[in-house]
Amino acid sequence: MHMLRILLQLLILTFFIPIFFVFLLHRPFEPQALAAASGLFLFLLLLTLLLREHTENRLNPLRENSPKPLGALLVFLGCGLEWLSWLMVTEQYHPDGRRGQMLVIVIKLIGPWLPAAVFFVLGMQLVWFGFRAWRGR
């Protein structure tokens, strides 16, 4: 992991140096864009330093796994399902994929309320389980 972190830092610096010179040579000179690019690359370097701390914590054999990331993911997915049910009820659901087109066919056959209710209930369950996982129960 140490080598991966060093490799990421070198990669970030090798991308930053040419971009820095392009910003300096570009006319008219835009200090806001240079500051934004510098801030982005400094943020990426900060993330690699945080990766070192995370790796050191993860190598501790006595640490406990936190259920908070799983809870946050479940809440996010549940909110997505609730948003999907809202789009179905308001007839704003216009998918591009094959599964989405099959869902549109189902909506045309039986109406939007039953599929929207199913997705809403599933979304509420995921939000509930995610909230409980977030709190550590």
Side-chain angles (χ1 to χ4, degrees):
M1 196 58 135
H2 180 71
M3 290 299 295
L4 178 65
R5 184 175 49 86
I6 290 175
L7 180 69
L8 285 173
Q9 289 174 344
L10 288 175
L11 188 67
I12 290 168
L13 289 176
T14 55
F15 279 131
F16 175 68
I17 291 170
I19 290 174
F20 180 74
F21 283 116
V22 166
F23 275 118
L24 287 180
L25 298 175
H26 183 67
R27 298 289 177 219
F29 179 69
E30 297 178 8
Q32 296 90 0
L34 180 62
S38 300
L40 173 69
F41 283 104
L42 287 175
F43 178 69
L44 291 174
L45 284 174
L46 174 71
L47 287 179
T48 60
L49 294 176
L50 291 176
L51 180 65
R52 178 187 69 187
E53 181 180 331
H54 176 72
T55 303
E56 291 172 358
N57 290 339
R58 196 186 72 222
L59 292 176
N60 183 6
L62 300 177
R63 75 174 178 96
E64 293 182 14
N65 290 330
S66 174
K68 289 186 186 247
L70 175 64
L73 177 67
L74 289 176
V75 168
F76 180 72
L77 290 173
C79 290
L81 285 177
E82 291 171 358
W83 179 253
L84 177 66
S85 69
W86 172 258
L87 290 178
M88 279 191 256
V89 169
T90 59
E91 297 178 358
Q92 296 176 359
Y93 181 65
H94 303 292
D96 293 333
R98 184 180 192 124
R99 285 173 286 191
Q101 294 297 328
M102 289 190 297
L103 184 58
V104 167
I105 292 170
V106 169
I107 290 172
K108 287 181 183 178
L109 288 176
I110 63 173
W113 290 100
L114 183 61
V118 169
F119 281 118
F120 185 77
V121 168
L122 287 174
M124 288 299 290
Q125 287 178 344
L126 282 177
V127 168
W128 174 252
F129 291 139
F131 180 71
R132 287 185 57 102
W134 177 265
R135 294 195 53 197
R137 293 186 198 179

